Amino acid sequence: MPKHAVKKRTVKKHTVQRSLLLSLGAIVVAGLLMFNIGKVSQGNNSHSSAPRSAKQIKKDKLAKKVAKIHLTKHEKKVARNYKLNKLETRTASKTHITAIGDSVMIDVKPDVKQVFRHSAVSGSVGRQFYSLPGIVRHLKATGHLSKYIVVNLGINGPPTQHDINSVLKTVGKDRQIFWINTRVPRHWQNTTNRMISKNAKKHSNVHLVNWYKASKGHKGWYASDRVHLDLTGEKYYTRTLAKKVSDVLN
């Protein structure tokens, strides 16, 4: 066979081998690219299907609950007058409460009855916390103590832990206490508020209604004695309570 023919076959063989190698390399590169794209896609999918947080789940449930609420004519008026949303308004409207307090409770009674339609409200001038254990025992014994109890006692003096323990023992763990703290120009204000905060943190069925915080910078909500409330203050006091009740129950 002539030398030029052998050379030509050798060159052709090398060309074919080189083409095969290039094709194989292209296949490998394509495979690697597809593998990486698949990993990225899988990562994105796993991220999108990651479990929702408890906070997000609660938010979604509340949104569905709110969507089903159709306020009555009375509830719409309450929502407008007390600046409450649909859920807060409906929760207050349906919740049975027993409210016990001092003269401030007397002031806000009409508002509380307006927002909490199923409420029994007892206020008394000069009432202090030491009288609460006896009141709670009597209401429970006569079957008039609701599952949800509102307390506003503090403008006339601070509570003692002994009296608080007595109330908690009578109330039991199945009832919820919404305890409103105080803003009053008296030396026992901070002591009272610390006691309320301490017990709210310690007991799961005691909830702090932070009127002290809500009323900060609103001297116009108070009467001239800076203890009792004017009409605007009474509305915001009731609003603060309603929002807390809704937050806890929902």
Side-chain angles (χ1 to χ4, degrees):
M1 183 182 290
K3 287 184 178 181
H4 69 274
V6 173
K7 186 175 180 181
K8 187 174 181 180
R9 288 180 63 186
T10 302
V11 171
K12 186 176 181 180
K13 182 179 179 181
H14 287 166
T15 301
V16 171
Q17 290 176 340
R18 187 162 58 250
S19 296
L20 288 171
L21 287 172
L22 288 172
S23 297
L24 182 61
I27 291 170
V28 171
V29 171
L32 288 172
L33 284 172
M34 291 300 292
F35 177 73
N36 287 330
I37 290 171
K39 284 187 72 177
V40 171
S41 176
Q42 185 180 23
N44 288 337
N45 289 336
S46 63
H47 177 73
S48 62
S49 61
R52 295 176 298 162
S53 66
K55 187 176 181 181
Q56 185 59 47
I57 291 173
K58 181 179 180 181
K59 186 178 179 180
D60 292 345
K61 285 183 177 179
L62 286 180
K64 290 179 180 178
K65 194 172 183 179
V66 170
K68 295 178 181 179
I69 295 175
H70 299 286
L71 298 180
T72 64
K73 185 177 180 180
H74 173 81
E75 288 173 335
K76 287 178 181 178
K77 183 179 178 181
V78 166
R80 183 171 60 253
N81 290 345
Y82 294 88
K83 299 181 180 179
L84 298 170
N85 62 36
K86 289 169 67 176
L87 184 60
E88 293 162 349
T89 304
R90 175 56 57 83
T91 301
S93 179
K94 297 297 183 182
T95 303
H96 294 246
I97 67 169
T98 299
I100 306 165
D102 45 41
S103 55
V104 170
M105 185 63 80
I106 297 175
D107 294 340
V108 301
K109 182 176 179 177
D111 295 274
V112 171
K113 298 288 286 184
Q114 187 76 207
V115 177
F116 294 87
R117 303 194 76 182
H118 303 284
S119 60
V121 184
S122 171
S124 181
V125 176
R127 181 181 281 166
Q128 294 196 42
F129 197 91
Y130 60 72
S131 64
L132 188 60
I135 294 172
V136 171
R137 281 194 298 269
H138 173 73
L139 290 173
K140 185 178 181 181
T142 56
H144 293 105
L145 188 64
S146 299
K147 183 178 179 180
Y148 304 106
I149 303 162
V150 176
V151 176
N152 88 312
L153 290 168
I155 66 170
N156 299 305
T160 66
Q161 190 60 52
H162 177 270
D163 287 333
I164 294 172
N165 292 343
S166 178
V167 170
L168 292 174
K169 184 178 179 180
T170 301
V171 167
K173 295 185 181 295
D174 292 333
R175 288 184 172 89
Q176 305 291 315
I177 300 176
F178 293 89
W179 196 351
I180 308 171
N181 64 10
T182 189
R183 178 178 290 279
V184 60
R186 303 288 187 269
H187 65 82
W188 56 76
Q189 171 194 267
N190 294 340
T191 301
T192 298
N193 290 347
R194 278 195 299 268
M195 291 291 285
I196 297 172
S197 180
K198 172 187 171 183
N199 282 275
K201 290 176 181 177
K202 185 178 179 181
H203 302 281
S204 61
N205 65 326
V206 178
H207 311 285
L208 166 64
V209 181
N210 203 341
W211 172 245
Y212 179 81
K213 180 180 179 181
S215 61
K216 184 179 180 181
H218 295 286
K219 292 181 180 179
W221 291 356
Y222 282 84
S224 58
D225 63 3
R226 296 167 57 200
V227 173
H228 297 90
L229 305 170
D230 68 3
L231 295 177
T232 301
E234 290 165 8
K235 277 187 166 50
Y236 277 97
Y237 192 92
T238 307
R239 176 179 186 264
T240 302
L241 172 61
K243 290 178 76 65
K244 183 63 178 184
V245 170
S246 178
D247 183 55
V248 171
L249 300 190
N250 294 300

